[in-house]
C-alpha cells in the first residue's frame, strides 16, 4: 500500500487546562500539540515495520521553531497535519501544521529537527539507507507554498 504524507491528519481538542489568562492556548502547549501530531504521524505511517532499524533508533530534538498566525481558544478543534520536511545525514525535520478544523485556517506551523544519536557515544549517527528511503516517501509533495 502506498501512502502520501499529504493524506495524514489527526484531531486535537483544546482543553480548558491549556488556555491562559488571555483565554487562548498558552504558548508552550503548541510544542505539546506538535509532539502529539508527530507521534500519531509515525503510528499512521506503519514505519515500525522496518524493525530495529527504526524502532531502536534514537532521535533527539535539537531545534524547534514555531510560527504563530493566530491563536486557538478553548474547545477549538485542531486539525494537526505532519510530514517529513527535510532529511540530512543524521537529522530530519518534521513540519507540523495546526489548522482550525471549523475554518480551515492555518494557525501555527512548527518545524522540529531531530538528530539520530548513538546513545553510547552521544554522537550523531547516519540514518540508514532503508530508513532514509522510507522517510523520503513521507515528504510532502513540493508545491508553490512549500
Amino acid at each position: 500500500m502506498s501512502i502520501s504524507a499529504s493524506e495524514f491528519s489527526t484531531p486535537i481538542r483544546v482543553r480548558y487546562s491549556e488556555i491562559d489568562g488571555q483565554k487562548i492556548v498558552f504558548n508552550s502547549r503548541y510544542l505539546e500539540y506538535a509532539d502529539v501530531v508527530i507521534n500519531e504521524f509515525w503510528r499512521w505511517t506503519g514505519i515500525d515495520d522496518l524493525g530495529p532499524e527504526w524502532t531502536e533508533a534514537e532521535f533527539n530534538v535539537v531545534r524547534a521553531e514555531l510560527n504563530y498566525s493566530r491563536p486557538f481558544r478553548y474547545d477549538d478543534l485542531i486539525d494537526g497535519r505532519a510530514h517529513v520536511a527535510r532529511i540530512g545525514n543524521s537529522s530530519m525535520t518534521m513540519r507540523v501544521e495546526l489548522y482550525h478544523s471549523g475554518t480551515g485556517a492555518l494557525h501555527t506551523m512548527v518545524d522540529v529537527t531531530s538528530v539520530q544519536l548513538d546513545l553510547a557515544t552521544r554522537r550523531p549517527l547516519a540514518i540508514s539507507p532503508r530508513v532514509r528511503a522510507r522517510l523520503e516517501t513521507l515528504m510532502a509533495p513540493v508545491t508553490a507554498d512549500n
Side-chain angles (χ1 to χ4, degrees):
M1 178 180 88
S2 177
I3 61 173
S4 167
S6 61
E7 298 170 6
F8 170 78
S9 71
T10 190
I12 301 171
R13 172 93 46 197
V14 175
R15 299 173 302 170
Y16 180 77
S17 63
E18 297 165 343
I19 61 173
D20 61 17
Q22 298 171 358
K23 299 190 181 348
I24 60 175
V25 171
F26 185 65
N27 58 12
S28 68
R29 298 296 185 157
Y30 289 89
L31 286 175
E32 293 176 33
Y33 293 160
D35 186 61
V36 168
V37 173
I38 289 169
N39 278 292
E40 292 301 320
F41 176 78
W42 293 130
R43 182 176 290 113
W44 174 81
T45 67
I47 197 168
D48 283 358
D49 69 353
L50 291 177
E53 266 182 288
W54 175 259
T55 60
E56 295 178 14
E58 293 291 340
F59 283 87
N60 288 193
V61 173
V62 294
R63 178 184 169 95
E65 180 179 331
L66 289 83
N67 292 295
Y68 302 96
S69 298
R70 48 183 72 116
F72 286 108
R73 299 178 188 287
Y74 170 69
D75 208 37
D76 279 348
L77 186 59
I78 299 169
D79 177 23
R81 302 178 195 172
H83 64 270
V84 177
R86 189 189 68 77
I87 306 167
N89 181 50
S90 60
S91 66
M92 71 173 152
T93 300
M94 295 293 300
R95 162 77 45 93
V96 175
E97 297 168 342
L98 302 175
Y99 294 86
H100 190 283
S101 289
T103 67
L106 176 63
H107 281 224
T108 306
M109 196 163 42
V110 184
D111 287 331
V112 179
T113 302
S114 301
V115 172
Q116 181 174 268
L117 292 180
D118 177 318
L119 290 183
T121 64
R122 303 300 297 175
R123 303 287 305 147
L125 183 64
I127 297 171
S128 76
R130 250 178 98 219
V131 170
R132 176 180 300 282
R134 178 69 68 85
L135 294 176
E136 287 172 351
T137 70
L138 299 171
M139 297 179 84
V142 177
T143 66
D145 295 336
N146 283 15

